[in-house]
Amino acid sequence: MSEQHTPRSLIVTFYGAYGRAAPGPVPVAELVRLLAPVGVDAPSVRSSVSRLKRRGLLVPARTAAGAAGYALSPDARQLLEDGDRRIYASPPAARQGGGWVLAVFSVPESERQKRHVLRSRLAGLGFGTAAPGVWIAPAHLYEETRHTLERLQLASYVDLFRGEHLGFAATADAVARWWDLSSIAKEHEAFLVRHEPVLRAWQRRTDTPPEEAYRDYLLALDSWRRLPYADPGLPGELLPEGWPGDRSAEVFAALDGRLRVAGAGFVTPEGSGGVNSPA
């Protein structure tokens, strides 16, 4: 397991890809089995699950058979559903025009810690900084931004606006100030270096063994799901020539099409009563 793929991140990725379909809590023993192919040992699974529980993303519950398990909290489900719209969007849908959403916030000095949290969350959603206290993102991120601010009880500090850029600088030049495009491009290139050879190897094969498919898909998804947040889907005409984002999206989409369904066969081996089987 590389430094990029932390146990906690891989558990969240598993729930996003497969765990949500479970009819009940996922048993701890199953989580241990399902994280082993991507290099996470049992103690790391248990400690990471405890941290996710403390963050309110997982809730402890008993399975129908009485085993200890964990289910997603309502907030976690909303978080994953919002993420789906980014993670599985095709490049044309993600990069269409439609204006901008602006977030302007004011936090009293007595609550300045929330100022840091707001900046961190807006940056995590993919917002760029247009000016101190003024954050900007493509308009299609409005719903997810609203959900996030409400979930974190930060909405009362923020005003959201829709608009268009009217000058005076060219919009492409302004976008290059609002986002660190060079850094984002490097993240796309790193994804391609790690996962394009994996896709090429699968394209040469005629078989798709479930455990191998599951392993490679979970690692690819764990890498990819961060990218649509670093790169919030800026319109293509505003990006530098040769932008690698569309190519990395194509590689992920191809891996998703080849491996996700096959990987489900490892999550729920036939006749095993695994996590996606009826209780």
Side-chain angles (χ1 to χ4, degrees), residues 155-254:
S156 62
Y157 302 98
V158 184
D159 286 305
L160 297 177
F161 303 87
R162 288 186 187 272
E164 58 182 310
H165 182 241
L166 298 176
F168 292 91
T171 303
D173 293 339
V175 162
R177 293 197 310 271
W178 299 338
W179 281 272
D180 184 349
L181 297 179
S182 176
S183 176
I184 296 169
K186 287 177 182 176
E187 291 191 48
H188 282 296
E189 289 159 359
F191 177 86
L192 289 168
V193 167
R194 285 190 296 269
H195 298 288
E196 192 165 24
V198 176
L199 174 62
R200 296 285 170 260
W202 279 106
Q203 289 174 331
R204 292 191 294 268
R205 296 178 64 165
T206 57
D207 64 332
T208 315
E211 183 172 353
E212 291 180 53
Y214 169 84
R215 178 199 64 211
D216 287 351
Y217 180 63
L218 207 67
L219 292 173
L221 178 59
D222 195 56
S223 295
W224 171 256
R225 69 182 180 87
R226 299 169 177 79
L227 267 170
Y229 288 90
D231 176 354
L234 298 165
E237 66 270 17
L238 302 179
L239 294 168
E241 187 175 353
W243 184 252
D246 288 350
R247 178 60 192 153
S248 67
E250 290 168 2
V251 167
F252 173 71

Side-chain angles (χ1 to χ4, degrees), residues 52-239:
L52 291 168
K53 182 180 71 172
R54 287 196 295 273
R55 288 180 56 194
L57 297 177
L58 293 179
V59 291
R62 292 283 173 181
T63 69
Y70 286 89
L72 290 166
S73 68
D75 281 349
R77 286 190 178 275
Q78 181 68 69
L79 194 67
L80 292 172
E81 287 168 9
D82 285 339
D84 286 348
R85 287 190 286 273
R86 295 206 199 195
I87 292 166
Y88 298 106
S90 62
R95 301 199 183 282
Q96 63 188 352
W100 306 94
V101 58
L102 294 176
V104 180
F105 64 82
S106 177
V107 179
E109 184 61 24
S110 60
E111 299 179 274
R112 59 183 177 273
Q113 177 58 27
K114 290 184 179 178
R115 192 178 305 142
H116 169 74
V117 174
L118 264 168
R119 291 186 185 121
S120 175
R121 301 316 295 178
L122 290 171
L125 286 164
F127 276 71
T129 309
V134 181
W135 294 68
I136 187 166
H140 66 261
L141 300 185
Y142 164 72
E143 290 291 344
E144 183 179 359
T145 301
R146 188 180 188 92
H147 290 157
T148 299
L149 294 175
E150 289 174 342
R151 178 172 56 83
L152 297 174
Q153 299 182 342
L154 295 170
S156 62
Y157 302 98
V158 184
D159 286 305
L160 297 177
F161 303 87
R162 288 186 187 272
E164 58 182 310
H165 182 241
L166 298 176
F168 292 91
T171 303
D173 293 339
V175 162
R177 293 197 310 271
W178 299 338
W179 281 272
D180 184 349
L181 297 179
S182 176
S183 176
I184 296 169
K186 287 177 182 176
E187 291 191 48
H188 282 296
E189 289 159 359
F191 177 86
L192 289 168
V193 167
R194 285 190 296 269
H195 298 288
E196 192 165 24
V198 176
L199 174 62
R200 296 285 170 260
W202 279 106
Q203 289 174 331
R204 292 191 294 268
R205 296 178 64 165
T206 57
D207 64 332
T208 315
E211 183 172 353
E212 291 180 53
Y214 169 84
R215 178 199 64 211
D216 287 351
Y217 180 63
L218 207 67
L219 292 173
L221 178 59
D222 195 56
S223 295
W224 171 256
R225 69 182 180 87
R226 299 169 177 79
L227 267 170
Y229 288 90
D231 176 354
L234 298 165
E237 66 270 17
L238 302 179
L239 294 168

Side-chain angles (χ1 to χ4, degrees), residues 4-46:
Q4 182 202 18
H5 301 292
T6 67
R8 201 181 328 176
S9 175
L10 285 163
I11 290 170
V12 172
T13 299
F14 161 75
Y15 272 96
Y18 299 109
R20 275 183 289 177
V26 180
V28 175
E30 273 294 278
L31 286 173
V32 169
R33 179 182 76 86
L34 291 163
L35 273 295
V38 290
V40 183
D41 60 22
S44 296
V45 169
R46 292 188 172 91

